[in-house]
Amino acid sequence: MADSFATKMRVKVYQLDGEGRWDDRGTGHVTCTYVSSRQGVCIVVKSEDDGALLLECKIPPANIYTRQQDTLIVWADPDTNQDLALSFQESSGCQEMWDQLLRIQNRLRGRR
């Protein structure tokens, strides 16, 4: 099953390192997609250069995401305890992704 819940949007993926600095993990396109191996809908980012997987994080029902400024979504992945951020090229893309995350989390909580 490969349901995609968002159109592809261009993002930079960042991970907070041990010294409190944001490490650029690459630029790619983000979608919210069901990943059978994770048994749930995940944030998936694939590199714009070669399609390599840059990020795959399962979306939990708990509200772990924060939106900062107009173009950032930041969270701590509960599976890995890593602080992650998506930086969107366009504020409209960030808003669309934010809305998708809220809809998916509401579904996971049993709300429509």
Side-chain angles (χ1 to χ4, degrees):
M1 185 170 162
D3 292 333
S4 182
F5 293 92
T7 57
K8 292 182 180 180
M9 292 163 278
R10 190 169 188 264
V11 296
K12 276 192 172 254
V13 178
Y14 293 94
Q15 180 178 342
L16 197 64
D17 69 17
E19 297 174 13
R21 293 182 302 229
W22 288 101
D23 181 34
D24 183 346
R25 292 179 55 184
T27 302
H29 293 95
V30 63
T31 59
C32 294
T33 303
Y34 182 84
V35 177
S36 58
S37 63
R38 302 290 304 267
Q39 297 183 342
V41 179
C42 296
I43 296 172
V44 177
V45 180
K46 292 190 178 179
S47 172
E48 67 180 358
D49 293 330
D50 59 8
L53 187 65
L54 297 176
L55 181 70
E56 182 181 277
C57 292
K58 188 173 179 180
I59 300 171
N63 186 14
I64 62 170
Y65 305 98
T66 59
R67 187 166 173 202
Q68 298 178 1
Q69 303 163 8
D70 287 335
T71 57
L72 290 171
I73 296 176
V74 180
W75 73 100
D77 185 339
D79 293 334
T80 63
N81 290 324
Q82 294 176 332
D83 289 312
L84 299 164
L86 296 177
S87 176
F88 291 78
Q89 185 175 18
E90 306 277 337
S91 61
S92 60
C94 186
Q95 182 64 52
E96 184 178 338
M97 184 64 172
W98 183 254
D99 292 344
Q100 290 291 328
L101 286 170
L102 294 178
R103 281 194 291 276
I104 292 165
Q105 287 182 310
N106 282 336
R107 274 192 209 169
L108 292 171
R109 292 184 203 120
R111 294 186 225 146
R112 294 269 171 199

